[in-house]
C-alpha cells in the first residue's frame, strides 16, 4: 500500500514537472513572424525582436547551458568567469566555517544557559534582542572591524546560525526529564559525566533540530551575503550573471542553490534520526 | 527499637505559598532496623514521596536530620538505591546499558567485561535474560520495572527505596513482580523502605507498616507490626486468621481515622508513635441456628 502510494506520488510529481516544463517552453518560444527589417539591423536586434522570441530563456536553453556547466564545473578563467562547482564550493566552505564556529560557541553556551537558571535569566535579554536582527545588518560592522570581505561573510553566517542552535540547546538541556537527572544523582554521577551520559543524549534530538534550522538559515543567508561582498560564491555568481543579463545562468544558479540546500538539510535530518530515541 | 539502622529525626518539609508557609509534615520521627522491610501508607499529599526523596538525598528537609548507619545524610548516595515509580530508564540505552550504567557508576575502575558480567547477573536475577539488548521502548511496563529493580540491586545498596514501584502495572504483573521482590529481598536481607497505596501489597511485603495521616501537617500516626509469619505465601495470605484483622485495621485508618486523627488524638507524641500489634481475633461463637436464621431472613428480604 505504502509502496504503491509512493509510486503514485512519483508519477504525479513527474507529471507536474513535465507540465511545468511544457508551459514554460510554450510561453517562451518565438511566436510572432519576423518583421521586415534589414538583415544587419535584425542581427543587431537578436531573436527577441526578429522572431518575437521571449527574453526569458526556455527550458531547452537552460538545459543546454546546464549541460555545458556540468561538463566543466571547475574551470577558472579569471575573477568573473569560474565554473559553477568552484562557486558552489566557495559558498559551501563559507557556510561550513561559519556554521562550525557557531556550533563550537552555541552548544557549550546553550548547555550553560540550560543548566543554570541564573545564566539563563542573565543572558535572556541579550538573546531576545540579538536574535531578531537580520544577519545582513551586521555586514557593514563586520566589514569595518574585520576588514576582510570573505571573513565578514563567514561572520554573518556565524551570527545567523548561532541563535537557533543556542536556543534549542538551552531548551533541550533545560527540559531533560527530572527523573533521568535523579537517576544520575542517586548513582553519584559527577556533573561532568552527567552532562555527557544523561543530558547530552537526552537533549541531542532537540539540539540537532536547532542545528537543522541553522543550516537552512545559513544557506539562505550566504546567497545574500555573497551578493554584497562579491568576488566568489554562488550568490556573487547570481548577481554577476544578472549584470551580464544572463537569465539562463541565473535560473541554473537558483536550481542549484535549491538542490544544495536540500542536500544540507537531508544530511542533518539523517544525523537527527541517529540520535533520536523512541520512548 | 534497639538497632536503628535508619533514623529519621524530627524532619519537616515546608513550602512557601501565597499566604505564608504550608508544612507538608512537621516533626516526623521514624526508625527502621537493618534488614527490615517497611512500608508507608497514606493518602496522596501526606508527603510520603517527600520522605522517600529526603531519605534518598534528592530532597533536603526544612528541619531535622536523617541518620543512616550512624551517619547523617546530605546528598544522594550509592548506598541508597531508588526504584522510581515511573521506572526512569534511560531510553537511549539498552537494558544492559541501563544496568551497566549503574554498575560502572559504583565501580569506576572496573573494565567493560567485568561491568557487563556483573550487570548481566542482575538482569538474569529479575528474569530478563534474553532481553538485555532491547531498548526500554520495546519492553512492557512490567519488564521496564524489572530493569529498574535490576539496576537498583546491581549496585548492592544498603537500603532500597521504592516509590510505589508496582502502581503503574497491571494486577497480574504486579503480583509476579511482588513475589520476586519479596524473594530477592529475603535472600539478600535487604533493608527496604517502600511507599504504597495498596494495603494488600503492604501486608504481603512489609514487616512494619507506617500509617500517615492526611496532609498538610501530616503525622506518623501508628506503626503496625505485621503479625503474619515471615514465610507467608501469596496464595495462602487471605486464609491467615490475622490477615483480615490487619487489613481492616489499616483500611479503617485510611477511610476515617487518617482525616480526624489530629482531632481524635490531640496529644499525639511524634517521638513515641504507638506500635500496634494485632493479636488473634476474639473467637466468637455463632450457633448453627443463628446462621440459618440469618440466611433465611436475608433470603426473605431479597424476595420481598
Amino acid at each position: 500500500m505504502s509502496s504503491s502510494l509512493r509510486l503514485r506520488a512519483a508519477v504525479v510529481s513527474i507529471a507536474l514537472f513535465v507540465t511545468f516544463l511544457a508551459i514554460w517552453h510554450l510561453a517562451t518560444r518565438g511566436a510572432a513572424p519576423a518583421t521586415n527589417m534589414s538583415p544587419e539591423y535584425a542581427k543587431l536586434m537578436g531573436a527577441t525582436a526578429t522572431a518575437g522570441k521571449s527574453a526569458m530563456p526556455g527550458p531547452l536553453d537552460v538545459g543546454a547551458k546546464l549541460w555545458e556547466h556540468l561538463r566543466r564545473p571547475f574551470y577558472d578563467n579569471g575573477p568573473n568567469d569560474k565554473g559553477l562547482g568552484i562557486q558552489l564550493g566557495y559558498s559551501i566552505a563559507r557556510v561550513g566555517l561559519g556554521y562550525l564556529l557557531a556550533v563550537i560557541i552555541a552548544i557549550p553556551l546553550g548547555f550553560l544557559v540550560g543548566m543554570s537558571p541564573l545564566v539563563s535569566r542573565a543572558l535572556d535579554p541579550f538573546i531576545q534582542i540579538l536574535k531578531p536582527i537580520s544577519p545582513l545588518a551586521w555586514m557593514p560592522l563586520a566589514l569595518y572591524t574585520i576588514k576582510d570581505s570573505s571573513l565578514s561573510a563567514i561572520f554573518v553566517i556565524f551570527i545567523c546560525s548561532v541563535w537557533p542552535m543556542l536556543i534549542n540547546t538551552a531548551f533541550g538541556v533545560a527540559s531533560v526529564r527530572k527523573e533521568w537527572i535523579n537517576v544520575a544523582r542517586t548513582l553519584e554521577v559527577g556533573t561532568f559525566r552527567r552532562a555527557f551520559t544523561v543530558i547530552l543524549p537526552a537533549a541531542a534530538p532537540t539540539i540537532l533540530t536547532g542545528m537543522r534550522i541553522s543550516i537552512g538559515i545559513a544557506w539562505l543567508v550566504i546567497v545574500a551575503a555573497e551578493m554584497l561582498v562579491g568576488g566568489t560564491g554562488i550568490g556573487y555568481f547570481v548577481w554577476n550573471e544578472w549584470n551580464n543579463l544572463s537569465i539562463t545562468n541565473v535560473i541554473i544558479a537558483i536550481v542549484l542553490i535549491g538542490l544544495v540546500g536540500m542536500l544540507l538539510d537531508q544530511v542533518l535530518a539523517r544525523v537527527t534520526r541517529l540520535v533520536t530515541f523512541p520512548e | 527499637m534497639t538497632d536503628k539502622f535508619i533514623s529519621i529525626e524530627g524532619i519537616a518539609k515546608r513550602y512557601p505559598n501565597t499566604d505564608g508557609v504550608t508544612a507538608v509534615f512537621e516533626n516526623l520521627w521514624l526508625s527502621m532496623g537493618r534488614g527490615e522491610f517497611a512500608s508507608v501508607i497514606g493518602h496522596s499529599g501526606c508527603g510520603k514521596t517527600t520522605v522517600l526523596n529526603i531519605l534518598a538525598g534528592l530532597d533536603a528537609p526544612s528541619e531535622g536530620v536523617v541518620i543512616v548507619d550512624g551517619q547523617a545524610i546530605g546528598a544522594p548516595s550509592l548506598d541508597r538505591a531508588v526504584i522510581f515509580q515511573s521506572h526512569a530508564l534511560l531510553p537511549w540505552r539498552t537494558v544492559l546499558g541501563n544496568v551497566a550504567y549503574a554498575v560502572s557508576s559504583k565501580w569506576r575502575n572496573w573494565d567493560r567485561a567485568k561491568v557487563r558480567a556483573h550487570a548481566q547477573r542482575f538482569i538474569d536475577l529479575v528474569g530478563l535474560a534474553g532481553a538485555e539488548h532491547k531498548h526500554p521502548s520495546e519492553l512492557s511496563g512490567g519488564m521496564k520495572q524489572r530493569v529498574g529493580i535490576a539496576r537498583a540491586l546491581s549496585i548492592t545498596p544498603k537500603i532500597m527505596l521504592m516509590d510505589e514501584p508496582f502502581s503503574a502495572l497491571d494486577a497480574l504483573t504486579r503480583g509476579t513482580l511482588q513475589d520476586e521482590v519479596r524473594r530477592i529481598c529475603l535472600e539478600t536481607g535487604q533493608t527496604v523502605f517502600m511507599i504504597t497505596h495498596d494495603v494488600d501489597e503492604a501486608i504481603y511485603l512489609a514487616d512494619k507498616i507506617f500509617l500517615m495521616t492526611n496532609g498538610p501537617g501530616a503525622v506518623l500516626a501508628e506503626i503496625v507490626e505485621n503479625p503474619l509469619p515471615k514465610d507467608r505465601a501469596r496464595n495462602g495470605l487471605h486464609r491467615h486468621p490475622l490477615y483480615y484483622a490487619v487489613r481492616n485495621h489499616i483500611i479503617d485508618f485510611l477511610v476515617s481515622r487518617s482525616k480526624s486523627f489530629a482531632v481524635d488524638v490531640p496529644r499525639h507524641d511524634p517521638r513515641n508513635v504507638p506500635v500496634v500489634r494485632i493479636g488473634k481475633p476474639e473467637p466468637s461463637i455463632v450457633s448453627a441456628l443463628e446462621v440459618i436464621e440469618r440466611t433465611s431472613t436475608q433470603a426473605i428480604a431479597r424476595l420481598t
Side-chain angles (χ1 to χ4, degrees):
Chain A
M1 186 64 207
S2 90
S3 78
S4 102
L5 178 68
R6 196 184 267 185
L7 192 76
R8 282 181 291 159
V11 169
V12 175
S13 290
I14 291 167
L16 281 173
F17 186 60
V18 170
T19 315
F20 168 72
L21 287 182
I23 293 170
W24 182 12
H25 178 72
L26 290 175
T28 54
R29 90 197 144 131
T35 46
N36 288 326
M37 58 176 76
S38 74
E40 269 129 60
Y41 187 56
K43 210 179 252 173
L44 263 175
M45 292 300 286
T48 312
T50 52
K53 187 176 178 348
S54 166
M56 194 66 159
L60 294 175
D61 305 321
V62 173
K65 192 79 184 165
L66 183 64
W67 178 241
E68 209 177 291
H69 278 299
L70 288 180
R71 270 197 318 187
R72 301 173 59 219
F74 298 110
Y75 73 90
D76 189 352
N77 295 343
N80 275 348
D81 192 8
K82 293 186 203 304
L84 268 175
I86 292 185
Q87 305 285 31
L88 278 173
Y90 272 110
S91 299
I92 292 171
R94 283 191 189 117
V95 165
L97 270 172
Y99 184 76
L100 199 70
L101 213 61
V103 171
I104 292 168
I105 304 282
I107 290 177
L109 192 63
F111 249 79
L112 197 63
V113 173
M115 287 178 94
S116 155
L118 174 74
V119 178
S120 168
R121 294 229 172 169
L123 288 187
D124 190 57
F126 300 106
I127 295 172
Q128 296 303 332
I129 291 172
L130 292 173
K131 188 180 62 168
I133 298 172
S134 163
L136 293 170
W138 293 97
M139 188 62 96
L141 203 60
L143 287 169
Y144 178 70
T145 44
I146 305 174
K147 296 190 170 61
D148 182 298
S149 63
S150 199
L151 281 180
S152 299
I154 291 169
F155 171 77
V156 166
I157 294 306
F158 162 78
I159 206 84
C160 76
S161 38
V162 88
W163 308 117
M165 273 194 250
L166 178 65
I167 290 164
N168 264 49
T169 307
F171 175 74
V173 168
S175 49
V176 172
R177 288 233 211 119
K178 190 97 196 321
E179 55 185 46
W180 296 336
I181 306 277
N182 279 347
V183 166
R185 286 179 65 199
T186 55
L187 294 174
E188 290 186 54
V189 174
T191 317
F192 203 66
R193 186 163 176 249
R194 196 195 303 168
F196 279 96
T197 55
V198 177
I199 298 171
L200 187 63
T206 322
I207 297 175
L208 258 298
T209 306
M211 290 174 71
R212 197 171 159 193
I213 297 169
S214 280
I215 198 80
I217 294 176
W219 190 244
L220 288 179
V221 167
I222 192 66
V223 174
E226 283 171 345
M227 282 181 178
L228 280 176
V229 297
T232 46
I234 194 72
Y236 169 70
F237 178 83
V238 171
W239 202 248
N240 196 32
E241 294 305 322
W242 163 237
N243 288 335
N244 291 343
L245 272 180
S246 171
I247 305 297
T248 317
N249 274 335
V250 171
I251 293 171
I252 287 171
I254 288 172
V255 171
L256 285 178
I257 291 168
L259 283 174
V260 172
M262 184 189 76
L263 281 178
L264 291 174
D265 186 63
Q266 287 303 307
V267 170
L268 265 294
R270 194 64 60 86
V271 181
T272 309
R273 226 169 298 145
L274 280 182
V275 299
T276 305
F277 48 84
E279 280 198 47
Chain B
M1 192 64 41
T2 46
D3 173 30
K4 279 190 182 178
F5 186 54
I6 301 175
S7 179
I8 293 179
E9 308 196 341
I11 61 167
K13 187 72 191 177
R14 307 184 189 100
Y15 292 103
N17 65 359
T18 44
D19 40 71
V21 178
T22 318
V24 185
F25 50 80
E26 287 274 3
N27 203 16
L28 183 79
W29 295 73
L30 188 156
S31 64
M32 275 175 71
R34 194 186 291 268
E36 260 185 332
F37 196 129
S39 180
V40 180
I41 289 191
H43 288 285
S44 303
C46 75
K48 305 184 298 283
T49 301
T50 312
V51 174
L52 184 128
N53 282 344
I54 291 172
L55 260 175
L58 293 169
D59 204 346
S62 310
E63 209 183 296
V65 284
V66 177
I67 293 165
V68 172
D69 205 12
Q71 284 202 319
I73 61 162
S77 156
L78 282 158
D79 290 338
R80 285 167 271 128
V82 183
I83 295 177
F84 297 89
Q85 183 179 8
S86 55
H87 51 76
L89 300 179
L90 306 178
W92 55 89
R93 284 175 180 267
T94 59
V95 168
L96 185 63
N98 268 286
V99 180
Y101 184 63
V103 175
S104 62
S105 299
K106 170 125 188 186
W107 295 282
R108 299 196 179 171
N109 50 354
W110 280 15
D111 59 52
R112 267 177 87 89
K114 202 168 177 191
V115 167
R116 282 177 75 111
H118 185 88
Q120 187 66 51
R121 204 150 60 79
F122 284 89
I123 292 168
D124 296 348
L125 184 72
V126 296
L128 279 181
E132 54 268 19
H133 296 298
K134 286 192 173 154
H135 281 87
S137 58
E138 300 167 81
L139 303 178
S140 67
M143 287 166 94
K144 283 182 198 165
Q145 198 51 285
R146 277 167 200 265
V147 182
I149 293 166
R151 178 171 64 184
L153 287 170
S154 71
I155 57 172
T156 57
K158 287 182 185 166
I159 303 167
M160 291 238 279
L161 304 168
M162 306 191 200
D163 188 0
E164 300 187 34
F166 312 112
S167 64
L169 307 176
D170 63 277
L172 222 63
T173 319
R174 192 187 305 153
T176 353
L177 222 50
Q178 283 168 351
D179 291 346
E180 270 170 53
V181 164
R182 182 166 162 75
R183 174 178 60 83
I184 293 166
C185 290
L186 283 178
E187 276 170 15
T188 54
Q190 193 63 247
T191 310
V192 185
F193 182 85
M194 179 180 78
I195 289 175
T196 183
H197 269 124
D198 183 341
V199 176
D200 289 323
E201 181 172 284
I203 297 173
Y204 178 48
L205 292 174
D207 306 319
K208 239 165 54 169
I209 299 159
F210 297 114
L211 303 181
M212 283 182 80
T213 61
N214 292 0
V219 294
L220 176 59
E222 274 177 19
I223 301 167
V224 177
E225 282 191 357
N226 195 339
L228 302 188
K230 195 89 181 166
D231 60 345
R232 53 190 174 263
R234 166 181 302 283
N235 43 17
L237 202 64
H238 59 286
R239 293 209 185 82
H240 192 278
L242 294 179
Y243 173 76
Y244 280 104
V246 185
R247 194 172 191 278
N248 292 344
H249 182 83
I250 298 172
I251 288 181
D252 281 343
F253 176 83
L254 287 178
V255 171
S256 52
R257 286 196 298 134
S258 62
K259 280 186 225 83
S260 57
F261 187 80
V263 184
D264 297 345
V265 190
R267 282 188 295 165
H268 176 69
D269 179 4
R271 296 194 64 164
N272 278 311
V273 177
V275 177
V276 177
R277 281 190 194 86
I278 297 193
K280 294 224 179 333
E282 305 273 313
S284 52
I285 302 158
V286 182
S287 71
L289 189 69
E290 237 180 337
V291 174
I292 294 162
E293 258 178 17
R294 209 182 291 151
T295 39
S296 56
T297 39
Q298 274 170 358
I300 293 160
R302 225 175 289 132
L303 279 172
T304 50

